[in-house]
Amino acid sequence: MTAHALRKLELKACPSAGACGGQFTANTMACVSEAIGLALPYSAGTPAPYKERHKYAINSGKAVMKLLEKNIRPRDIVTRKALENAATVVAATGGSTNAGLHLPAIANEIGIKFDLMDVAKIFKRTPYLADLKPGGKYVAKDMWEAGGVPMLLKTLYDGGYIHGDCMTVTGKTMKENLKNVKFNPKQKVMRSYKNPITPTGGVVGLRGNLAPEGGIVKIAGLKKLQFTGRARCFDSEEKAYKAVKERKYKDGDIIIIRYEGPKGGPGMREMLQTTAAIYGQGKGEKVALITDGRFSGATRGFCIGHVGPEASIGGPIALLKNGDIIDIDAKKGTINVRLSKKELSLRKKKWKQRKMNFGNGTLWKYAQTVGPAYLGAPTHPGGKNEVKTYADI
């Protein structure tokens, strides 16, 4: 390929500045910032080089001064209902599985109970409306031009999926913000709540004997929602990637990448390299992948992340052996290994804790305090144990 041809392809594949044009983690959380009430309407989707950014910067400064005047604080805006609105937008856009970490982590800061499976409940009841990459056709710029997050919130509100009484940074409620927004049926990026792409969200929570604390999978764009296969176990992403690169796996395998969780990594890095390699080899629908680590928002295929308890503390994923048969059902929301309680218990007794990857320094300190993925991998007890309200000081 010539440099000229590559440049033409690049400009089509990644319109505007940067590479994250699809509904990957950055754009997912940008949509969340509006849905949760912390960003001004329309501000989240504006492409980076556009002059409109200046307008939102100035208006954000004005909004901050008004909020200070009225003594409206972030915790008056981010409530349980606001978190539910945020999860609703993630599901409706087929957003990143990383939202299943970020929303519980935000909730922990405030002292609200809102874990991965609470997020998953919202995902299950929300229609999938925005046809965005990687599962769909369009990118964030297209959604912004079609009407942006407010138009999506409007149709979700009309369908009864959004709480309208939540306070926002405008000093008005969500319902008041959406009062004059009209849904445009002529655009193709977002569907009305009456005509969803699928009746349930593009992201699904899973639970079973392999993941008692839950796991998460993006199903937007997947043709089949069930998978049964034999485990192929790797104790790091590097080992899994090497095997995939050398094609040392078969159709029907379920690749297990463990000891990559919050404590085990430490840091729960994303398994993008391996999932991209699998998809690049044309095996995205022919194998599955399960990890106690996480994924990039750009990950496609049958990939289950955030499986907990993680391997480094002896979770069921640590007890798997090559050849174990695993059943995944994203329709029912289950993930099970065909092993009896007795067999799992016997393996747990034989399991030995591994030496950590880091014996000192910041990552060692992080590993000592980090909590489980289903709570957002928090590193402190959060709002529920708060002694002082810092905003009062």
Side-chain angles (χ1 to χ4, degrees), residues 206-212 214-215 290 304 307 326-329 333-337:
L206 306 173
R207 198 179 236 161
N209 72 349
L210 186 50
I290 297 171
I304 296 101
V307 165
I326 298 165
D327 300 301
I328 309 161
D329 192 327
T334 57
I335 179 166
N336 291 297
V337 57

Side-chain angles (χ1 to χ4, degrees), residues 228-278:
T228 294
R230 294 185 181 276
R232 191 91 165 70
C233 302
F234 301 95
D235 290 351
S236 71
E237 192 199 4
E238 287 83 359
K239 287 174 184 172
Y241 178 65
K242 188 173 184 286
V244 168
K245 201 176 169 188
E246 293 169 4
R247 296 181 185 259
K248 290 180 179 174
Y249 67 96
K250 299 194 287 284
D251 289 4
D253 279 353
I254 297 180
I255 294 166
I256 308 293
I257 307 180
R258 57 195 179 190
Y259 296 97
E260 292 287 8
K263 281 184 185 292
M268 207 180 179
R269 58 186 172 159
E270 58 188 34
M271 305 293 114
L272 178 60
Q273 197 178 27
T274 307
T275 57
I278 290 167

